[in-house]
Amino acid sequence: MEGTGRRESVGGQQGVIKNIERELVCPSCKELYTHPLILPCQHNICHKCLKELLYLTLEDSTDVSSEASTPGSPRIRMTSPSVERIDRLVRSGSKRNSLTPKITTISCPGCLHDVDLGERGINGLFRNVTLEAIVERYRQAARAATAIMCDYCKPPAQESTKSCMDCNASFCNECFKINHPWGTVKAQHEYVGPTNQFRPKVLMCPEHEMEKVNMYCEICRRPVCHLCKLGGAHANHRVTTMSTAYKTLKEKLTKGISYLISKESQVKDQLSELEILIKQTESNGEKAKEDATYNFEKLYNILEERKSFVMRSIENSKSLRLEKLKNQVEEYQGLLENNGLVGYAQEVLKETDHSCFVQIAKQLHIRIQKASDSLKSFRPAAQPGFEEYFLDVAQEEDLLGEIAFSKALAMPEINMEQSKIYNKARICWQEPSDSLSADSYVLEYRRLDKNEDLLWNEIETANTSKILSDLELNSQYCFRVKGFRGSTSTPLSKEVVLHTPPAPVFSFLFDDKCGYNKEHLMLNAQRDTVESMAGISLLLGAERVQVGCYTCLDYIIGDTGITKGRHFWAFSIESHSYLVKVGVASDIKLQEWLHNPRDISSPRYDQDSGHDSGSEDTSYDSSQPFTLATIGMKKLFIPKSSHVTCTAAERVIPLPTRIGICLDYDEGKVGFYDANIMKCLYERDVDCIGTMYPAFALLGGGAIHLEEVITANHLDYSHEI
């Protein structure tokens, strides 16, 4: 009954470990590990396999040495060296003469990297007893009902029930009691269930064979003894206690296993996807073979048709020529005596009646005369050569020899320079120029959030861009695209993540009336670009500038104001711009700035002048009805605030290619953003009174371009354009 219970237990283990065989196979012999050793690269290898690997490496080195001394001598290699010879060569490796180097470096069959075994070679490696025990359990599960017999029974041996780890033997119940009597030292031996694999009770140090390992080297990541730490190779290494290392590594391993188990559904999804890909690969491979066969059949049919045509042409020409030549043969045979024309003429000469003779002699004379002329200038009625029917297929041979697959559908790539999200999303992609163009595309996108929703939205298009609307604000979206041509599809492109604006996009143009200085500023026809001209008028104004003063800023505002809600707008500033200020201001403050201009003013003269805006050296504890950030020399200067402690250098950041401003009128806050990634660079309070306008100011040369909103008028880019 006990044996039956053991078999059932083994049967249960078989279901648990039957799927781990690939982890228990030696990378060298491709069989289950036998006495596995741990290499310095942390991969495992059978003890015997490592010896064989060392032998082959040693033999290669010996062959190279012998070839260097006798280049013409033949090489003879043993294909199956005996274990005794391997042991002898490995042991004598260090005793060879100086011409044969000692082999301490081998190529790991697991990672294919060279690993150094150190001075002690195999003797310096740890035996992986844990892996050895797992392999033994796997073997037992594979053997299932195969029993392990008692080593001490007289024949016939009984099935063992225990294995003693100290005696390295298996026992049935009776033999175990006899060999481990109560009250003796053997009674204290450690025993386990029946096994053929006996692991050492204590792991010994390979460097100091009499010492137990009791520490763990964190640098070499291996167990060591106290002698290794005191004066050995690990003297200057950081070590920890074995219990601490056990706890740490077990915790890491447990976390890793728990993470993989928690992702089991994801792994199953990916396995399902791989299975689908396998089926698609098989199906598409057969389809490709069918297409190739069909195309070759078309070529065969064309060749057969052309062959029939050529054969008919040659046969017709041959028949016509033969007919002409045969007619000519008959004609010339008639010129022979007593044959044809000559024979007939000879018979006519026998006519004695003058009138009858004259009646036919004239026509006959003409024929005789023609025959005489043909004899003088003999020419065959047809030529025997068929050179004009020679087929020059050299060019066709070259073309057929160069038959190859057409350009494959290449994976499209999303163009980040053309793709952007503003009031809508415009996603553009392109294909490699040397690839086959797809007929249609499928754009996939999904919102990224904490739940990591794996469901993708799909939109089909025949163009190389697509405009999407109704995306949620202040959210990240992931995009990818693939192309189709017939039943063939490209791989999915690399995923691209874009961020939507933090608030609805506020659309406006520059105001060309309120405060607009035509002498210094120039608007384009669309009123979405303003340029500051550092010309003669600025130089004339600079004549009045004295020490500590400078000329005033030229302001321009949006043509639409804000009285409630949250709004976002974006723009770009030319890199050559000398001084630009951007932000928001109330209509009350704008009236003060625009209707009371100063040609010469100090930036410190009036904190409310707007020329400082709180962004230089002065900070404000209370909010004001405006805020402006300073931009210049390809830098953005974050306004100074009393409740934020930072150095001047920390307030200077590289100028983003696109800048965004988000105004929350109801909450009284304004934020400055890097509009490329929708990252808030700075946020502060602002006193929203009356109507708030987007405000800009320029000094010297510079230009501002408002971000163009994406509308339905933005036609999708087509690959035909």
Side-chain angles (χ1 to χ4, degrees):
M1 294 296 293
E2 186 175 354
T4 303
R6 187 187 64 78
R7 293 189 189 99
E8 292 176 354
S9 175
V10 171
Q13 292 177 358
Q14 184 179 9
V16 176
I17 64 175
K18 66 179 180 179
N19 295 323
I20 66 171
E21 182 176 357
R22 61 182 300 175
E23 301 292 336
L24 310 180
V25 174
C26 173
S28 180
C29 64
K30 307 302 180 184
E31 297 179 358
L32 294 177
Y33 284 109
T34 303
H35 305 300
L37 300 176
I38 305 176
L39 295 173
C41 60
Q42 302 303 307
H43 290 106
N44 298 284
I45 187 173
C46 294
H47 187 272
K48 178 184 176 182
C49 294
L50 182 56
K51 283 187 175 182
E52 292 178 352
L53 193 58
L54 279 171
Y55 167 76
L56 294 176
T57 307
L58 186 63
E59 190 181 41
D60 286 339
S61 176
T62 305
D63 289 340
V64 171
S65 177
S66 63
E67 284 185 357
S69 58
T70 57
S73 61
R75 292 172 54 180
I76 301 177
R77 173 174 294 182
M78 293 177 58
T79 58
S80 181
S82 64
V83 176
E84 291 77 8
R85 187 181 179 194
I86 292 176
D87 289 335
R88 184 170 65 255
L89 285 174
V90 172
R91 285 195 303 270
S92 62
S94 60
K95 300 178 182 179
R96 302 177 74 91
N97 57 42
S98 59
L99 295 177
T100 303
K102 182 178 179 181
I103 303 301
T104 61
T105 301
I106 63 167
S107 176
C108 171
C111 62
L112 303 180
H113 291 162
D114 291 338
V115 292
D116 189 359
L117 303 182
E119 291 295 326
R120 290 176 56 83
I122 292 181
N123 297 328
L125 300 178
F126 277 106
R127 178 179 168 187
N128 194 337
V129 292
T130 301
L131 177 58
E132 204 168 345
I134 296 175
V135 170
E136 177 59 23
R137 290 201 298 271
Y138 179 83
R139 284 197 174 102
Q140 290 185 18
R143 287 192 296 264
T146 303
I148 298 176
M149 309 310 292
C150 176
D151 294 326
Y152 283 79
C153 278
K154 294 180 180 180
Q158 299 294 316
E159 184 178 344
S160 63
T161 59
K162 300 179 181 67
S163 292
C164 180
M165 304 305 292
D166 294 277
C167 300
N168 290 346
S170 298
F171 300 88
C172 64
N173 285 335
E174 293 300 325
C175 292
F176 185 81
K177 292 178 182 178
I178 295 173
N179 289 275
H180 299 80
W182 288 102
T184 64
V185 176
K186 287 189 175 183
Q188 306 300 320
H189 283 189
E190 179 185 358
Y191 63 90
V192 295
T195 181
N196 288 327
Q197 192 69 33
F198 299 98
R199 58 187 289 179
K201 293 185 65 176
V202 180
L203 198 60
M204 307 302 291
C205 177
E207 298 287 339
H208 309 93
E209 299 178 356
M210 302 303 295
E211 298 294 331
K212 302 176 183 178
V213 293
N214 53 8
M215 290 180 286
Y216 182 80
C217 178
E218 296 181 353
I219 304 299
C220 301
R221 294 184 298 178
R222 60 178 293 174
V224 296
C225 69
H226 70 283
L227 292 181
C228 292
K229 175 61 179 172
L230 289 177
H234 307 272
N236 298 322
H237 292 181
R238 184 173 65 255
V239 298
T240 184
T241 62
M242 194 62 71
S243 60
T244 302
Y246 171 83
K247 182 179 179 181
T248 302
L249 293 176
K250 188 170 185 179
E251 182 179 351
K252 289 182 178 180
L253 185 59
T254 303
K255 287 183 178 179
I257 295 173
S258 300
Y259 175 79
L260 292 178
I261 293 175
S262 66
K263 297 294 182 179
E264 184 174 357
S265 60
Q266 182 177 347
V267 173
K268 290 181 178 179
D269 292 340
Q270 292 173 352
L271 284 174
S272 300
E273 185 176 351
L274 289 175
E275 291 175 357
I276 293 174
L277 290 176
I278 290 174
K279 293 180 180 179
Q280 289 179 345
T281 301
E282 293 175 349
S283 175
N284 292 338
E286 293 300 321
K287 180 67 167 53
K289 288 168 62 177
E290 292 176 2
D291 292 343
T293 302
Y294 172 74
N295 289 327
F296 275 106
E297 289 294 338
K298 287 200 302 183
L299 291 177
Y300 297 154
N301 294 335
I302 293 174
L303 288 175
E304 286 295 334
E305 291 178 2
R306 297 303 297 172
K307 177 182 177 182
S308 299
F309 171 77
V310 170
M311 293 298 103
R312 286 196 305 268
S313 300
I314 294 175
E315 184 64 28
N316 293 336
S317 178
K318 184 185 77 169
S319 300
L320 182 61
R321 294 184 190 195
L322 288 175
E323 183 180 358
K324 290 181 178 180
L325 289 172
K326 288 179 181 179
N327 291 335
Q328 191 175 18
V329 167
E330 292 178 358
E331 182 180 348
Y332 273 78
Q333 284 179 345
L335 301 180
L336 297 176
E337 186 178 3
N338 299 322
N339 285 315
L341 180 63
V342 174
Y344 174 68
Q346 289 174 342
E347 292 298 323
V348 171
L349 288 175
K350 295 177 181 180
E351 178 63 50
T352 58
D353 187 334
H354 290 187
S355 60
C356 292
F357 178 82
V358 172
Q359 184 181 6
I360 61 174
K362 181 60 178 178
Q363 185 65 29
L364 183 59
H365 179 265
I366 294 173
R367 292 178 63 190
I368 293 294
Q369 188 65 38
K370 287 183 178 180
S372 300
D373 293 341
S374 65
L375 288 176
K376 295 177 182 179
S377 58
F378 174 73
R379 180 174 296 176
Q383 296 297 325
F386 282 78
E387 290 81 3
E388 66 270 25
Y389 289 93
F390 173 75
L391 294 178
D392 183 7
V393 295
Q395 184 176 359
E396 287 73 10
E397 284 181 356
D398 293 339
L399 292 175
L400 290 174
E402 294 176 357
I403 287 180
F405 299 109
S406 61
K407 295 179 180 179
L409 282 176
M411 178 180 68
E413 181 180 358
I414 295 180
N415 189 327
M416 291 300 294
E417 293 183 358
Q418 295 182 3
S419 300
K420 72 172 183 177
I421 291 184
Y422 195 37
N423 59 315
K424 297 180 181 180
R426 183 177 65 214
I427 309 301
C428 306
W429 55 90
Q430 59 192 15
E431 299 169 326
S433 57
D434 58 346
S435 67
L436 197 63
S437 298
D439 295 330
S440 62
Y441 305 88
V442 171
L443 175 64
E444 299 182 0
Y445 67 97
R446 65 184 175 93
R447 182 187 176 192
L448 298 179
D449 53 23
K450 295 181 180 179
N451 297 326
E452 289 292 333
D453 185 11
L454 298 179
L455 296 178
W456 291 83
N457 301 294
E458 295 185 353
I459 296 181
E460 186 174 354
T461 178
N463 304 313
T464 55
S465 75
K466 190 65 181 177
I467 295 177
L468 304 175
S469 57
D470 300 329
L471 299 182
E472 296 189 30
L473 295 172
N474 200 24
S475 301
Q476 282 186 319
Y477 281 85
C478 186
F479 300 90
R480 64 187 187 184
V481 66
K482 61 180 176 180
F484 289 87
R485 188 179 182 91
S487 60
T488 306
S489 65
T490 69
L492 285 166
S493 68
K494 293 182 180 179
E495 296 180 2
V496 170
V497 177
L498 297 175
H499 203 296
T500 57
V505 170
F506 180 63
S507 179
F508 66 91
L509 299 173
F510 288 119
D511 194 332
D512 59 352
K513 297 180 177 60
C514 182
Y516 174 57
N517 189 341
K518 295 182 180 180
E519 294 183 358
H520 295 170
L521 302 179
M522 181 174 65
L523 276 173
N524 65 347
Q526 294 77 24
R527 292 196 293 127
D528 59 0
T529 297
V530 62
E531 184 177 359
S532 175
M533 299 173 291
I536 299 298
S537 59
L538 185 61
L539 293 177
L540 292 176
E543 284 186 330
R544 301 190 298 274
V545 175
Q546 304 300 323
V547 177
C549 300
Y550 63 79
T551 57
C552 67
L553 294 164
D554 293 307
Y555 285 92
I556 189 169
I557 62 175
D559 61 356
T560 306
I562 299 172
T563 57
K564 62 179 180 179
R566 297 182 77 238
H567 303 273
F568 178 84
W569 61 92
F571 50 89
S572 60
I573 296 177
E574 290 288 347
S575 59
H576 68 269
S577 301
Y578 176 68
L579 175 61
V580 177
K581 295 203 173 204
V582 297
V584 295
S586 68
D587 52 355
I588 299 174
K589 197 65 181 178
L590 287 171
Q591 288 180 7
E592 178 183 341
W593 291 346
L594 300 177
H595 296 143
N596 297 287
R598 291 185 176 138
D599 292 332
I600 301 175
S601 61
S602 170
R604 306 179 191 274
Y605 178 77
D606 180 9
Q607 291 183 353
D608 262 3
S609 66
H611 298 161
D612 185 288
S613 74
S615 62
E616 314 295 348
D617 302 321
T618 306
S619 62
Y620 302 100
D621 295 327
S622 60
S623 63
Q624 300 192 44
F626 71 95
T627 185
L628 297 173
T630 302
I631 296 171
M633 302 176 65
K634 301 181 182 180
K635 304 291 183 182
L636 172 63
F637 300 85
I638 296 177
K640 186 177 180 181
S641 177
S642 61
H643 61 276
V644 177
T645 304
C646 59
T647 63
E650 294 174 340
R651 293 194 293 113
V652 179
I653 62 174
L655 177 65
T657 56
R658 295 169 61 219
I659 302 172
I661 295 180
C662 181
L663 174 64
D664 190 334
Y665 189 96
D666 301 330
E667 295 293 332
K669 291 185 178 296
V670 62
F672 296 85
Y673 283 74
D674 181 344
N676 293 315
I677 56 178
M678 296 300 172
K679 177 184 177 182
C680 184
L681 305 174
Y682 169 76
E683 186 178 63
R684 66 167 296 166
D685 296 334
V686 63
D687 187 9
C688 294
I689 56 175
T691 302
M692 303 295 292
Y693 288 88
F696 306 86
L698 300 94
L699 176 64
I704 303 173
H705 307 279
L706 297 180
E707 187 79 11
E708 184 180 6
V709 295
I710 302 173
T711 65
N713 294 329
H714 288 84
L715 297 178
D716 291 346
Y717 295 101
S718 173
H719 59 267
E720 298 177 354
I721 295 180

mmCIF file of all heavy atoms in Angstrom, residues 375-400:
data_model
loop_
_atom_site.group_PDB
_atom_site.id
_atom_site.type_symbol
_atom_site.label_atom_id
_atom_site.label_comp_id
_atom_site.label_asym_id
_atom_site.label_seq_id
_atom_site.Cartn_x
_atom_site.Cartn_y
_atom_site.Cartn_z
ATOM 1 N N LEU A 375 19.748 29.077 -117.902
ATOM 2 C CA LEU A 375 20.977 28.299 -117.736
ATOM 3 C C LEU A 375 22.188 29.208 -117.583
ATOM 4 O O LEU A 375 23.145 28.887 -116.884
ATOM 5 C CB LEU A 375 21.163 27.379 -118.956
ATOM 6 C CG LEU A 375 20.201 26.182 -119.040
ATOM 7 C CD1 LEU A 375 20.421 25.415 -120.337
ATOM 8 C CD2 LEU A 375 20.408 25.260 -117.845
ATOM 9 N N LYS A 376 22.135 30.358 -118.280
ATOM 10 C CA LYS A 376 23.265 31.286 -118.190
ATOM 11 C C LYS A 376 23.344 31.956 -116.818
ATOM 12 O O LYS A 376 24.425 32.279 -116.333
ATOM 13 C CB LYS A 376 23.131 32.352 -119.292
ATOM 14 C CG LYS A 376 23.245 31.782 -120.702
ATOM 15 C CD LYS A 376 23.022 32.865 -121.742
ATOM 16 C CE LYS A 376 23.074 32.291 -123.156
ATOM 17 N NZ LYS A 376 22.821 33.338 -124.190
ATOM 18 N N SER A 377 22.180 32.240 -116.200
ATOM 19 C CA SER A 377 22.165 32.902 -114.868
ATOM 20 C C SER A 377 21.356 32.041 -113.890
ATOM 21 O O SER A 377 20.217 32.349 -113.537
ATOM 22 C CB SER A 377 21.554 34.298 -114.984
ATOM 23 O OG SER A 377 20.236 34.205 -115.514
ATOM 24 N N PHE A 378 21.937 30.935 -113.461
ATOM 25 C CA PHE A 378 21.243 29.997 -112.578
ATOM 26 C C PHE A 378 21.076 30.602 -111.170
ATOM 27 O O PHE A 378 22.020 31.128 -110.588
ATOM 28 C CB PHE A 378 22.024 28.692 -112.488
ATOM 29 C CG PHE A 378 21.445 27.738 -111.475
ATOM 30 C CD1 PHE A 378 20.265 27.065 -111.732
ATOM 31 C CD2 PHE A 378 22.089 27.538 -110.260
ATOM 32 C CE1 PHE A 378 19.746 26.200 -110.796
ATOM 33 C CE2 PHE A 378 21.560 26.677 -109.328
ATOM 34 C CZ PHE A 378 20.387 25.996 -109.591
ATOM 35 N N ARG A 379 19.877 30.549 -110.679
ATOM 36 C CA ARG A 379 19.581 31.038 -109.321
ATOM 37 C C ARG A 379 18.498 30.137 -108.713
ATOM 38 O O ARG A 379 17.406 30.029 -109.299
ATOM 39 C CB ARG A 379 19.097 32.470 -109.346
ATOM 40 C CG ARG A 379 18.771 33.027 -107.966
ATOM 41 C CD ARG A 379 18.434 34.489 -108.033
ATOM 42 N NE ARG A 379 19.570 35.277 -108.490
ATOM 43 C CZ ARG A 379 19.520 36.597 -108.712
ATOM 44 N NH1 ARG A 379 18.371 37.247 -108.561
ATOM 45 N NH2 ARG A 379 20.593 37.231 -109.124
ATOM 46 N N PRO A 380 18.772 29.546 -107.545
ATOM 47 C CA PRO A 380 17.765 28.687 -106.913
ATOM 48 C C PRO A 380 16.505 29.481 -106.587
ATOM 49 O O PRO A 380 16.560 30.673 -106.254
ATOM 50 C CB PRO A 380 18.450 28.198 -105.635
ATOM 51 C CG PRO A 380 19.915 28.349 -105.897
ATOM 52 C CD PRO A 380 20.047 29.547 -106.794
ATOM 53 N N ALA A 381 15.393 28.829 -106.695
ATOM 54 C CA ALA A 381 14.111 29.492 -106.415
ATOM 55 C C ALA A 381 13.939 29.819 -104.933
ATOM 56 O O ALA A 381 13.132 30.679 -104.573
ATOM 57 C CB ALA A 381 12.957 28.604 -106.894
ATOM 58 N N ALA A 382 14.667 29.173 -104.063
ATOM 59 C CA ALA A 382 14.589 29.419 -102.602
ATOM 60 C C ALA A 382 15.919 29.079 -101.969
ATOM 61 O O ALA A 382 16.670 28.238 -102.474
ATOM 62 C CB ALA A 382 13.462 28.594 -101.977
ATOM 63 N N GLN A 383 16.230 29.766 -100.844
ATOM 64 C CA GLN A 383 17.474 29.535 -100.133
ATOM 65 C C GLN A 383 17.245 28.517 -99.007
ATOM 66 O O GLN A 383 16.204 28.527 -98.343
ATOM 67 C CB GLN A 383 18.000 30.840 -99.538
ATOM 68 C CG GLN A 383 18.366 31.885 -100.563
ATOM 69 C CD GLN A 383 19.508 31.434 -101.462
ATOM 70 O OE1 GLN A 383 20.418 30.722 -101.010
ATOM 71 N NE2 GLN A 383 19.459 31.827 -102.740
ATOM 72 N N PRO A 384 18.221 27.675 -98.763
ATOM 73 C CA PRO A 384 18.041 26.636 -97.740
ATOM 74 C C PRO A 384 18.242 27.147 -96.311
ATOM 75 O O PRO A 384 17.885 26.474 -95.348
ATOM 76 C CB PRO A 384 19.103 25.603 -98.106
ATOM 77 C CG PRO A 384 20.199 26.416 -98.742
ATOM 78 C CD PRO A 384 19.519 27.535 -99.493
ATOM 79 N N GLY A 385 18.835 28.309 -96.174
ATOM 80 C CA GLY A 385 19.130 28.800 -94.823
ATOM 81 C C GLY A 385 17.906 29.377 -94.111
ATOM 82 O O GLY A 385 17.029 29.968 -94.743
ATOM 83 N N PHE A 386 17.897 29.205 -92.780
ATOM 84 C CA PHE A 386 16.804 29.740 -91.948
ATOM 85 C C PHE A 386 17.348 30.712 -90.891
ATOM 86 O O PHE A 386 16.874 30.755 -89.764
ATOM 87 C CB PHE A 386 16.054 28.596 -91.258
ATOM 88 C CG PHE A 386 15.103 27.870 -92.149
ATOM 89 C CD1 PHE A 386 15.560 26.942 -93.058
ATOM 90 C CD2 PHE A 386 13.749 28.140 -92.091
ATOM 91 C CE1 PHE A 386 14.688 26.277 -93.885
ATOM 92 C CE2 PHE A 386 12.857 27.471 -92.913
ATOM 93 C CZ PHE A 386 13.333 26.542 -93.824
ATOM 94 N N GLU A 387 18.384 31.486 -91.283
ATOM 95 C CA GLU A 387 19.003 32.394 -90.323
ATOM 96 C C GLU A 387 18.014 33.427 -89.787
ATOM 97 O O GLU A 387 18.098 33.860 -88.634
ATOM 98 C CB GLU A 387 20.194 33.122 -90.963
ATOM 99 C CG GLU A 387 21.398 32.246 -91.233
ATOM 100 C CD GLU A 387 21.237 31.439 -92.518
ATOM 101 O OE1 GLU A 387 20.198 31.626 -93.197
ATOM 102 O OE2 GLU A 387 22.128 30.628 -92.828
ATOM 103 N N GLU A 388 17.076 33.831 -90.628
ATOM 104 C CA GLU A 388 16.133 34.851 -90.182
ATOM 105 C C GLU A 388 15.175 34.324 -89.115
ATOM 106 O O GLU A 388 14.475 35.097 -88.466
ATOM 107 C CB GLU A 388 15.327 35.399 -91.365
ATOM 108 C CG GLU A 388 14.405 34.384 -92.018
ATOM 109 C CD GLU A 388 15.091 33.633 -93.152
ATOM 110 O OE1 GLU A 388 16.345 33.534 -93.115
ATOM 111 O OE2 GLU A 388 14.399 33.178 -94.056
ATOM 112 N N TYR A 389 15.158 33.020 -88.940
ATOM 113 C CA TYR A 389 14.301 32.439 -87.912
ATOM 114 C C TYR A 389 15.082 32.070 -86.644
ATOM 115 O O TYR A 389 14.564 31.377 -85.783
ATOM 116 C CB TYR A 389 13.599 31.195 -88.452
ATOM 117 C CG TYR A 389 12.534 31.523 -89.471
ATOM 118 C CD1 TYR A 389 12.832 31.530 -90.825
ATOM 119 C CD2 TYR A 389 11.253 31.845 -89.066
ATOM 120 C CE1 TYR A 389 11.866 31.850 -91.769
ATOM 121 C CE2 TYR A 389 10.274 32.171 -89.999
ATOM 122 C CZ TYR A 389 10.589 32.180 -91.342
ATOM 123 O OH TYR A 389 9.632 32.503 -92.262
ATOM 124 N N PHE A 390 16.304 32.538 -86.561
ATOM 125 C CA PHE A 390 17.088 32.281 -85.341
ATOM 126 C C PHE A 390 16.538 33.135 -84.185
ATOM 127 O O PHE A 390 16.305 34.335 -84.340
ATOM 128 C CB PHE A 390 18.561 32.608 -85.581
ATOM 129 C CG PHE A 390 19.400 32.526 -84.325
ATOM 130 C CD1 PHE A 390 19.747 31.294 -83.789
ATOM 131 C CD2 PHE A 390 19.824 33.682 -83.680
ATOM 132 C CE1 PHE A 390 20.504 31.224 -82.642
ATOM 133 C CE2 PHE A 390 20.572 33.610 -82.538
ATOM 134 C CZ PHE A 390 20.923 32.377 -82.007
ATOM 135 N N LEU A 391 16.313 32.518 -83.061
ATOM 136 C CA LEU A 391 15.755 33.210 -81.886
ATOM 137 C C LEU A 391 16.892 33.687 -80.988
ATOM 138 O O LEU A 391 17.671 32.878 -80.466
ATOM 139 C CB LEU A 391 14.832 32.279 -81.093
ATOM 140 C CG LEU A 391 13.553 31.834 -81.794
ATOM 141 C CD1 LEU A 391 12.774 30.880 -80.909
ATOM 142 C CD2 LEU A 391 12.697 33.044 -82.140
ATOM 143 N N ASP A 392 16.977 34.976 -80.811
ATOM 144 C CA ASP A 392 17.960 35.551 -79.876
ATOM 145 C C ASP A 392 17.283 35.686 -78.506
ATOM 146 O O ASP A 392 16.496 36.613 -78.271
ATOM 147 C CB ASP A 392 18.433 36.913 -80.380
ATOM 148 C CG ASP A 392 19.509 37.512 -79.480
ATOM 149 O OD1 ASP A 392 19.967 36.798 -78.560
ATOM 150 O OD2 ASP A 392 19.875 38.683 -79.683
ATOM 151 N N VAL A 393 17.559 34.749 -77.635
ATOM 152 C CA VAL A 393 16.905 34.728 -76.307
ATOM 153 C C VAL A 393 17.870 35.129 -75.193
ATOM 154 O O VAL A 393 17.598 34.872 -74.027
ATOM 155 C CB VAL A 393 16.318 33.330 -76.020
ATOM 156 C CG1 VAL A 393 15.206 33.001 -76.983
ATOM 157 C CG2 VAL A 393 17.408 32.270 -76.054
ATOM 158 N N ALA A 394 18.969 35.756 -75.558
ATOM 159 C CA ALA A 394 19.947 36.136 -74.530
ATOM 160 C C ALA A 394 19.340 37.102 -73.516
ATOM 161 O O ALA A 394 19.507 36.946 -72.297
ATOM 162 C CB ALA A 394 21.186 36.756 -75.183
ATOM 163 N N GLN A 395 18.615 38.095 -74.040
ATOM 164 C CA GLN A 395 17.998 39.066 -73.133
ATOM 165 C C GLN A 395 16.923 38.406 -72.265
ATOM 166 O O GLN A 395 16.829 38.670 -71.067
ATOM 167 C CB GLN A 395 17.381 40.211 -73.949
ATOM 168 C CG GLN A 395 16.793 41.324 -73.097
ATOM 169 C CD GLN A 395 16.275 42.479 -73.944
ATOM 170 O OE1 GLN A 395 16.385 42.451 -75.168
ATOM 171 N NE2 GLN A 395 15.721 43.483 -73.304
ATOM 172 N N GLU A 396 16.145 37.517 -72.912
ATOM 173 C CA GLU A 396 15.117 36.821 -72.145
ATOM 174 C C GLU A 396 15.729 35.892 -71.096
ATOM 175 O O GLU A 396 15.191 35.730 -70.001
ATOM 176 C CB GLU A 396 14.205 36.025 -73.083
ATOM 177 C CG GLU A 396 13.245 36.872 -73.909
ATOM 178 C CD GLU A 396 13.945 37.621 -75.032
ATOM 179 O OE1 GLU A 396 15.128 37.334 -75.287
ATOM 180 O OE2 GLU A 396 13.314 38.501 -75.644
ATOM 181 N N GLU A 397 16.857 35.269 -71.445
ATOM 182 C CA GLU A 397 17.544 34.412 -70.472
ATOM 183 C C GLU A 397 17.966 35.221 -69.251
ATOM 184 O O GLU A 397 17.832 34.774 -68.111
ATOM 185 C CB GLU A 397 18.756 33.748 -71.122
ATOM 186 C CG GLU A 397 18.408 32.603 -72.046
ATOM 187 C CD GLU A 397 19.651 31.979 -72.646
ATOM 188 O OE1 GLU A 397 20.761 32.502 -72.381
ATOM 189 O OE2 GLU A 397 19.530 30.989 -73.371
ATOM 190 N N ASP A 398 18.490 36.418 -69.526
ATOM 191 C CA ASP A 398 18.893 37.276 -68.412
ATOM 192 C C ASP A 398 17.694 37.652 -67.554
ATOM 193 O O ASP A 398 17.768 37.639 -66.314
ATOM 194 C CB ASP A 398 19.584 38.538 -68.936
ATOM 195 C CG ASP A 398 20.918 38.223 -69.600
ATOM 196 O OD1 ASP A 398 21.474 37.151 -69.312
ATOM 197 O OD2 ASP A 398 21.380 39.046 -70.410
ATOM 198 N N LEU A 399 16.581 37.992 -68.223
ATOM 199 C CA LEU A 399 15.389 38.371 -67.465
ATOM 200 C C LEU A 399 14.865 37.206 -66.641
ATOM 201 O O LEU A 399 14.503 37.366 -65.469
ATOM 202 C CB LEU A 399 14.305 38.877 -68.415
ATOM 203 C CG LEU A 399 14.584 40.209 -69.112
ATOM 204 C CD1 LEU A 399 13.480 40.526 -70.109
ATOM 205 C CD2 LEU A 399 14.698 41.338 -68.085
ATOM 206 N N LEU A 400 14.833 36.018 -67.264
ATOM 207 C CA LEU A 400 14.358 34.848 -66.522
ATOM 208 C C LEU A 400 15.306 34.489 -65.384
ATOM 209 O O LEU A 400 14.878 34.064 -64.316
ATOM 210 C CB LEU A 400 14.197 33.662 -67.471
ATOM 211 C CG LEU A 400 13.042 33.747 -68.477
ATOM 212 C CD1 LEU A 400 13.100 32.582 -69.450
ATOM 213 C CD2 LEU A 400 11.709 33.768 -67.744
#
